[in-house]
Amino acid sequence: MERQWTKSSWQDFPALQQPKWPDKGAYNAAVEEISRMPPLVFAGEVRALKAMLAKAEEGRAFLLQGGDCAEDFSQCTAPAIRETLKVILQMAVILTYAGGKPVIKVGRIAGQYAKPRSSDTEKVGDLEIPSYRGDMVNSPEPTPEARVPDPRRMVEGYYKAAATMNILRAFTRGGYAALHRVHAWNQEFVKNSPMGRSYERLARHIAAALKFMECIGLDTDIPQLNQASFFTSHEALLLGYEEALTRQDSTTGDWYDCSAHMLWIGDRTRQLDGAHVEFFRGVHNPIGMKVGPNHDIGEIKQIIARLNPQNEPGRLTLITRFGKDKVEKHLPPLIRAIKSEGFRVVWSCDPMHGNTYTASTGHKTRNFDDILQEIQCFFEIHWAEGTVPGGVHFELTGDNVTECTGGGRNIVDEELLRNYQTNCDPRLNAEQSLELAFRIAEMIRS
Ligand code: TRP
Ligand code: MN
């Protein structure tokens, strides 16, 4: 017999990676406050995303998921949100036009505020202080005071997520994301790069197609062209926050985690009998699960059976993150195991997290060619196995940062310090993101 699920039943299971909130009363008051606030998304939207993901599973659409490693409260501004949205729209246009497939656009945005850490503490000089766990938990400044988990930050995170969501809805529905504006998303600092020029060329083709439609009398003032569908996602790490935003849909009676459209479980918190799997099995959102090199295939199968007992299409996305050197070893056996069970999953590739290393300058970085190589292997392996490479998952920003090495302008180690901004993992910059989109478009077209 399955145990009864409630939005609180996870509390009876061990939850890894939870902050040690010093004041239990303050914590309870914070989650209680959030539980009275309006949801950030509504169930109908979540179901629409699930239906699109079901198409990705069959190769009739492609999932593009991306955004910051960790969102920064101080970057909750219209320009910062717009820059991230822009680069995702550009990538989506490239993948749709050059790749010939509808693209499901999912941001790591409007709630990506909590981070799992490999160590509870870190050394700063001689001082041992608690690790930074994301803006919803503590502050990145390297002082003991800044690192004390503060539950009021969860409330602030809710409001920041709501403000982000609001401007995203405005941009995507209000004309900013209209295909007529495809040129306008290309940023000044990208325009004169090889990738910027390739993008301009593609944008001209789209503009010409729209012009043609108008010439022959087709109405182009329609939502398919004027509005972009865009969804939000984050790692659902802080289960108290997620529970507080979990609501029962009045039309179906089903429970949805209304903090975002899609949520994922991290590689470090996906224990079969852990709190995260317990929480996720009861909400009806599309769920992602990260799978890294340290997995047990038997356990993965059991988790999938628990998370998706009805084998519903679009429910589960497996986001593999093996690294370029390990993908050949780990991906084929995993694919075969899943296939032999008949499990329906969207296969997505996170080529970021398995390819992180420390540069000669001491910066945490990733190399463009390694990222591309893991993606290429991911596609080749799926084709060889007869399964569908259904999507990609990136850490990226629209800004002109220097956090990952390589790419068209071949950023070298010594240049990393020029504009290294991230609080957490290194992100692709706008140019590197476009370049990857062009390369992936070639792959999905074939
Ligand atoms: N409405 C479609 C979509 O969201 C087409 C579209 C409109 C679009 N604006 C876009 C696609 C911007 C990519 C980027 O997919
Ligand atoms: Mn990361």
Side-chain angles (χ1 to χ4, degrees):
M1 257 304 281
E2 276 281 86
R3 279 175 45 116
Q4 171 86 21
W5 180 90
T6 70
K7 64 189 168 78
S8 315
S9 56
W10 63 269
Q11 296 183 15
D12 300 332
F13 295 78
L16 298 191
Q17 295 286 345
Q18 303 303 294
K20 296 190 177 63
W21 304 106
D23 179 347
K24 206 66 195 148
Y27 170 81
N28 289 336
V31 290
E32 212 264 323
E33 183 173 340
I34 297 167
S35 73
R36 281 183 274 111
M37 300 306 294
L40 296 175
V41 302
F42 106 94
E45 299 174 309
V46 177
R47 282 191 288 270
L49 172 60
K50 204 189 258 181
M52 291 166 84
L53 288 167
K55 289 190 181 161
E57 213 168 284
E58 298 170 353
R60 294 190 292 128
F62 192 76
L63 168 65
L64 171 65
Q65 190 173 16
D68 288 323
C69 175
E71 283 180 275
D72 178 335
F73 279 177
S74 71
Q75 294 299 305
C76 180
T77 66
I81 296 164
R82 196 181 55 218
E83 297 314 283
T84 300
L85 175 66
K86 254 190 206 169
V87 74
I88 295 175
L89 292 178
Q90 286 186 288
M91 293 175 84
V93 156
I94 295 166
L95 290 168
T96 310
Y97 191 84
K101 275 203 189 142
V103 173
I104 309 164
K105 300 172 278 300
V106 181
R108 279 177 72 112
I109 200 164
Q112 180 54 21
Y113 295 124
K115 301 303 297 172
R117 299 312 299 257
S118 45
S119 172
D120 271 345
T121 58
E122 72 179 275
K123 274 277 229 213
V124 177
D126 290 336
L127 212 57
E128 182 145 334
I129 62 171
S131 298
Y132 170 61
R133 289 184 170 273
D135 274 9
M136 222 190 242
V137 176
N138 55 12
S139 168
E141 283 85 74
T143 67
E145 303 74 43
R147 295 292 175 85
V148 177
D150 175 2
R152 293 309 299 169
R153 286 179 159 269
M154 276 194 291
V155 179
E156 187 177 352
Y158 168 83
Y159 285 108
K160 291 257 158 50
T164 303
M165 195 74 210
N166 180 60
I167 197 71
L168 283 171
R169 290 187 192 280
F171 284 144
T172 54
R173 307 282 163 79
Y176 184 84
L179 279 175
H180 304 86
R181 299 189 70 261
V182 64
H183 284 291
W185 307 325
N186 211 11
Q187 315 219 43
E188 279 310 316
F189 66 83
V190 176
K191 257 182 197 143
N192 295 317
S193 71
M195 278 314 122
R197 283 192 288 268
S198 298
Y199 179 81
E200 283 296 315
R201 190 142 40 85
L202 183 141
R204 277 200 301 275
H205 288 301
I206 293 173
L210 289 174
K211 183 87 199 304
F212 177 75
M213 284 166 67
E214 279 157 22
C215 285
I216 62 170
L218 276 177
D219 184 7
T220 61
D221 194 11
I222 53 174
Q224 286 90 330
L225 296 171
N226 286 342
Q227 302 185 2
S229 62
F230 188 86
F231 300 94
T232 58
S233 70
H234 60 264
E235 175 173 354
L237 185 71
L238 300 183
L239 291 173
Y241 176 79
E242 303 302 335
E243 175 187 338
L245 285 164
T246 296
R247 312 294 167 85
Q248 192 169 23
D249 172 35
S250 57
T251 61
T252 59
D254 289 335
W255 291 88
Y256 287 87
D257 181 349
C258 296
S259 70
H261 299 104
M262 181 177 180
L263 289 315
W264 75 86
I265 317 184
D267 197 35
R268 303 173 213 211
T269 49
R270 53 165 178 70
Q271 299 72 29
L272 178 61
D273 291 310
H276 290 82
V277 169
E278 171 61 18
F279 175 74
F280 276 107
R281 83 180 167 93
V283 297
H284 282 66
N285 305 61
I287 299 300
M289 180 161 75
K290 293 275 192 110
V291 184
N294 297 319
H295 67 276
D296 175 87
I297 290 190
E299 189 185 31
I300 297 289
K301 288 202 248 184
Q302 285 176 288
I303 300 169
I304 295 176
R306 190 161 301 174
L307 290 175
N308 194 14
Q310 311 295 330
N311 211 15
E312 184 192 0
R315 158 72 169 168
L316 193 63
T317 299
L318 288 190
I319 308 167
T320 56
R321 29 96 74 233
F322 294 129
K324 64 159 171 70
D325 295 327
K326 294 187 179 164
V327 58
E328 300 270 11
K329 173 165 175 250
H330 290 289
L331 188 55
L334 182 65
I335 291 175
R336 286 174 207 154
I338 303 302
K339 208 165 60 172
S340 73
E341 297 290 330
F343 289 141
R344 310 191 57 157
V345 299
V346 178
W347 290 99
S348 177
C349 174
D350 165 0
M352 312 298 292
H353 288 91
N355 293 309
T356 316
Y357 65 95
T358 305
S360 55
T361 52
H363 293 87
K364 201 175 173 190
T365 191
R366 293 156 172 161
N367 179 263
F368 184 87
D369 291 333
D370 296 348
I371 292 167
L372 186 61
Q373 194 185 328
E374 180 165 356
I375 300 170
Q376 218 142 17
C377 290
F378 170 84
F379 273 85
E380 293 291 347
I381 291 167
H382 277 289
W383 288 331
E385 300 293 330
T387 40
V388 175
V392 283
H393 184 118
F394 291 123
E395 289 182 344
L396 54 78
T397 168
D399 292 334
N400 196 9
V401 299
T402 53
E403 297 173 5
C404 294
T405 57
R409 292 206 190 185
N410 194 22
I411 296 172
V412 296
D413 284 11
E414 289 66 38
E415 289 169 286
L416 287 173
L417 49 85
R418 213 174 55 216
N419 194 14
Y420 194 95
Q421 301 268 341
T422 183
N423 275 338
C424 211
D425 288 340
R427 302 160 296 175
L428 297 160
N429 64 26
E431 235 175 271
Q432 292 168 327
S433 301
L434 293 191
E435 188 168 356
L436 275 178
F438 277 109
R439 302 299 294 267
I440 297 167
E442 286 167 26
M443 298 180 213
I444 60 179
R445 197 173 39 207
S446 41

